[in-house]
Amino acid sequence: MNDLTEARPIKASLRVPGDKAISHRAALLAVLAEGRTTIRSFSPAGDCEATLRVLRALGVRHGRDGEDLWVEGVGGEWRGAHPPEGHIDCGRSGTTMRLAAGLLAAAPGTSVLTGHPQLLRRPMERVAEPLRSMGADVRSEGGGGTAPLTITGGPLRGIRYRLPVASAQVKSAVLFAGIQADGTTSVIETIPTRDHSERMLSAMGAGVRVTTVDGGAEIALERSALRPLELLVPGDFSSAAPLIAAAALLRGSDLSVRGVGLNPTRTGLLRVLGRMGGDFIAETAGSHPEPWGEVRVRHQPLAATAVRPEEVPSLIDELPLVGVLATQAGGTTEVRGAAELRLKESDRIGGLVEGLRALGAEAEALEDGFVVTGPTPLRGGRCDALDDHRLAMAFAVAALVASSRVEVKGMGFVGDSFPGFIESLEALR
Ligand code: S3P
């Protein structure tokens, strides 16, 4: 339980820890490279620890050096790796489980991916099904297509796969298998999702082609040997986002976040904040393989907006923050096309709406999104973050604008993505 009320303006210039999504990918793809990969500013997130357990189980040598991670890749032939000893604990990390499934689809022996009960509730057939059609033996052993996932690796063939849900995790699982498969593997997406895997595979020497089809994009690749990377992971935009939202809300704030990832497939929150009348500047300072730079945000009164289905993947993890921003914005904000939010670490639509209402907000859940009408002064109260790090951070931001004490249950889970979040927030005040 934390008490964050009586907030003062946020005036600071800071950095946030390395990007979680990029770190997962770099650690897993490093396994397939020939030689040593160095990943600087590897994410300290609990979820990325789960990804390192995959490497450990396979006998892939790796180690930490301060904030950096090195990995001795075994190459596409998996020389020197051994079948996993015991079940691999993916914790609460859906990205670990789904991306590792793609990697392990061609690995020696049988792997069993399991995890925290929260992860065992989430849908895994969405990766099992395409991997099976590539020739892997993948079984979702939980009821209704859930984990544990039992994967027996073997020779794979490329497929042309149209994503049934806009999911970068599913896309990446197919690409991670595809880089090890005979023939061409391609993934078609009608709504763009984060493209970190494509960028990283290209940077490691894989031939990745992106073409336009049926109003969407087709990402195609061939089996390729991967070169090890020397990568500097930019700050995690999704960790900067609660701080950005807090600065946008608190009168007199002026916050700069330096060295943060600015990949446009991740920064939908800035576009939405712009439409709400938010005052910010985002400046890109470098772009290979990932764009990064600085975001400076100042408080401005906000107005409501509509978040459209086609922009949802670019701010999927920031939508709870949009709900919080909307409580202080004039008018009715509507988010649609976001049914995937119900399948995250918790039902983020139900959890968000319930928590915001507990603080006096006018909020309503929809099957595929939510509606919030503002501006409403938030009052003190109790919110349940449902053991979900994104809800926990969103409620912590709501607490900053509440008139009295807010108790957030489940704050302990913020370390899944942003260890030190509460300390960072408190240091700003
Ligand atoms: C992620 C993709 C998104 C996102 C998750 C991380 C990734 O999930 O919500 O936090 O790293 O690919 P989906 O692919 O399920 O939309």
Side-chain angles (χ1 to χ4, degrees):
M1 304 289 181
N2 292 81
D3 186 0
L4 291 161
T5 49
E6 293 175 38
R8 290 188 292 273
I10 291 177
K11 287 187 185 283
S13 171
L14 51 79
R15 289 176 184 272
V16 289
D19 186 90
K20 177 163 85 79
I22 296 172
S23 295
H24 283 299
R25 287 159 171 79
L28 292 172
L29 287 177
V31 172
L32 297 179
E34 301 270 1
R36 179 179 279 232
T37 286
T38 309
I39 306 165
R40 289 164 55 210
S41 287
F42 186 77
S43 164
D47 282 1
C48 290
E49 279 301 321
T51 285
L52 296 185
R53 289 198 286 275
V54 177
L55 273 58
R56 208 164 298 137
L58 294 163
V60 174
R61 291 181 52 228
H62 64 282
R64 297 272 200 156
D65 185 1
E67 290 185 352
D68 304 345
L69 176 79
W70 58 266
V71 180
E72 288 294 342
V74 296
E77 304 302 319
W78 289 90
R79 275 189 301 271
H82 55 65
E85 288 154 2
H87 293 186
I88 304 176
D89 176 10
C90 298
R92 285 180 292 275
S93 174
T95 311
T96 301
M97 186 171 281
R98 294 188 178 124
L99 270 55
L103 180 82
L104 294 169
T110 296
S111 316
V112 182
L113 295 173
T114 187
H116 186 275
Q118 203 182 50
L119 181 58
L120 301 184
R121 289 196 292 267
R122 298 178 63 186
M124 291 299 149
E125 263 303 298
R126 53 177 61 191
V127 289
E129 186 256 318
L131 295 175
R132 274 197 296 270
S133 58
M134 297 178 82
D137 178 0
V138 184
R139 274 166 290 143
S140 28
E141 312 274 11
T146 57
L149 281 183
T150 302
I151 304 168
T152 304
L156 302 177
R157 55 182 177 275
I159 53 167
R160 186 164 190 253
Y161 191 66
R162 186 178 284 273
L163 286 180
V165 276
S167 164
Q169 293 178 354
V170 178
K171 171 174 70 174
S172 300
V174 174
L175 295 178
F176 283 22
I179 197 73
Q180 308 177 76
D182 285 337
T184 305
T185 296
S186 73
V187 180
I188 300 165
E189 57 181 8
T190 44
I191 299 184
T193 64
R194 61 187 69 190
D195 63 358
H196 304 308
S197 297
E198 297 90 303
R199 287 173 184 268
M200 199 173 292
L201 284 162
S202 283
M204 296 175 85
V208 180
R209 296 183 311 281
V210 183
T211 50
T212 307
V213 288
D214 305 343
E218 177 161 5
I219 302 116
L221 56 71
E222 317 287 332
R223 179 202 286 272
S224 316
L226 297 180
R227 290 193 297 265
L229 268 183
E230 278 277 339
L231 180 73
L232 172 61
V233 179
D236 196 325
F237 183 82
S238 297
S239 297
L243 308 177
I244 290 171
L249 287 174
L250 293 171
R251 197 163 296 124
S253 293
D254 186 352
L255 171 75
S256 291
V257 187
R258 292 175 281 121
V260 66
L262 290 177
N263 183 321
T265 62
R266 290 285 298 283
T267 53
L269 177 70
L270 293 180
R271 292 184 285 277
V272 168
L273 185 60
R275 291 206 299 273
M276 296 176 92
D279 177 5
F280 69 88
I281 308 171
E283 269 176 351
T284 303
S287 63
H288 188 73
E290 288 283 344
W292 60 274
E294 179 168 337
V295 178
R296 182 172 180 192
V297 58
R298 280 177 278 212
H299 166 76
Q300 268 294 320
L302 300 177
T305 189
V307 176
R308 299 180 299 271
E310 61 276 17
E311 60 186 342
V312 160
S314 71
L315 76 161
I316 183 77
D317 295 334
E318 287 66 66
L319 287 172
L321 292 168
V322 171
V324 176
L325 290 169
T327 66
Q328 303 308 304
T332 298
T333 293
E334 189 179 43
V335 174
R336 300 304 298 261
E340 279 290 304
L341 278 183
R342 293 196 181 272
L343 303 172
K344 298 292 178 187
E345 282 81 335
S346 70
D347 169 0
R348 286 186 184 157
I349 294 177
L352 174 72
V353 166
E354 201 161 313
L356 292 179
R357 278 190 181 166
L359 303 182
E362 202 180 307
E364 192 194 323
L366 307 172
E367 205 41 56
D368 67 340
F370 54 87
V371 178
V372 176
T373 301
T376 315
L378 296 185
R379 56 170 188 255
R382 303 185 104 217
C383 308
D384 189 346
L386 305 175
D387 296 344
D388 180 324
H389 55 120
R390 302 281 176 216
L391 286 185
M393 291 190 279
F395 293 147
V397 174
L400 294 174
V401 288
S403 57
S404 59
R405 185 183 165 85
V406 172
E407 288 187 3
V408 183
K409 185 163 168 270
M411 276 316 282
F413 291 72
V414 292
D416 288 355
S417 65
F418 191 170
F421 166 73
I422 285 294
E423 294 76 0
S424 302
L425 204 55
E426 274 167 351
L428 294 176
R429 306 173 50 232

